[in-house]
Amino acid sequence: MITTSLKDLLEESVSHNAEIKKKVMLRFGDLPHLTNFSQARFAPGQTAPAHAHQDICEVFFVEAGSGVIHIDGTKYPLLPLNCMAIEPRELHEVVNSDVV
């Protein structure tokens, strides 16, 4: 069994935008077939620039706020309590569209 709590984890920068912070709850090697499980917070207006992963899926769960995600050129809303799964090789950009 592995247990973690967000309140006990240190923040670290995401690789696509150093100003966006995340807390990693599970890392590569902790569980088979999982690369990581994290919580990231995007400040109003922050963007994770367009990128794609060659061999992993990425899942976004919106706890609060709103944003948009561009996937292969199509814009989709990111709304509270919604989940979006990105497949390998899908070009995606995440934007917090909340106003400052």
Side-chain angles (χ1 to χ4, degrees), residues 14-35:
V14 302
S15 60
H16 310 298
N17 181 336
E19 294 179 5
I20 298 170
K21 304 301 180 196
K22 68 179 178 180
K23 292 184 174 187
V24 178
M25 291 170 267
L26 296 169
R27 293 187 185 277
F28 181 74
D30 289 344
L31 293 173
H33 311 292
L34 178 73
T35 57

Side-chain angles (χ1 to χ4, degrees), residues 10-98:
L10 298 176
E11 288 186 338
E12 54 190 78
S13 297
V14 302
S15 60
H16 310 298
N17 181 336
E19 294 179 5
I20 298 170
K21 304 301 180 196
K22 68 179 178 180
K23 292 184 174 187
V24 178
M25 291 170 267
L26 296 169
R27 293 187 185 277
F28 181 74
D30 289 344
L31 293 173
H33 311 292
L34 178 73
T35 57
N36 74 64
F37 180 68
S38 308
Q39 178 201 48
R41 293 181 184 261
F42 287 58
Q46 275 188 323
T47 299
H51 63 282
H53 306 282
Q54 295 307 305
D55 57 355
I56 66 167
C57 296
E58 192 167 15
V59 178
F60 295 92
F61 173 76
V62 181
E63 185 177 358
S66 62
V68 295
I69 187 166
H70 302 266
I71 304 171
D72 289 335
T74 302
K75 181 178 174 180
Y76 299 94
L78 289 172
L79 302 170
L81 306 181
N82 286 359
C83 181
M84 179 76 64
I86 309 302
E87 299 288 337
R89 295 172 297 286
E90 287 185 318
L91 184 66
H92 55 286
E93 176 182 61
V94 182
V95 180
N96 180 338
S97 57
D98 284 345

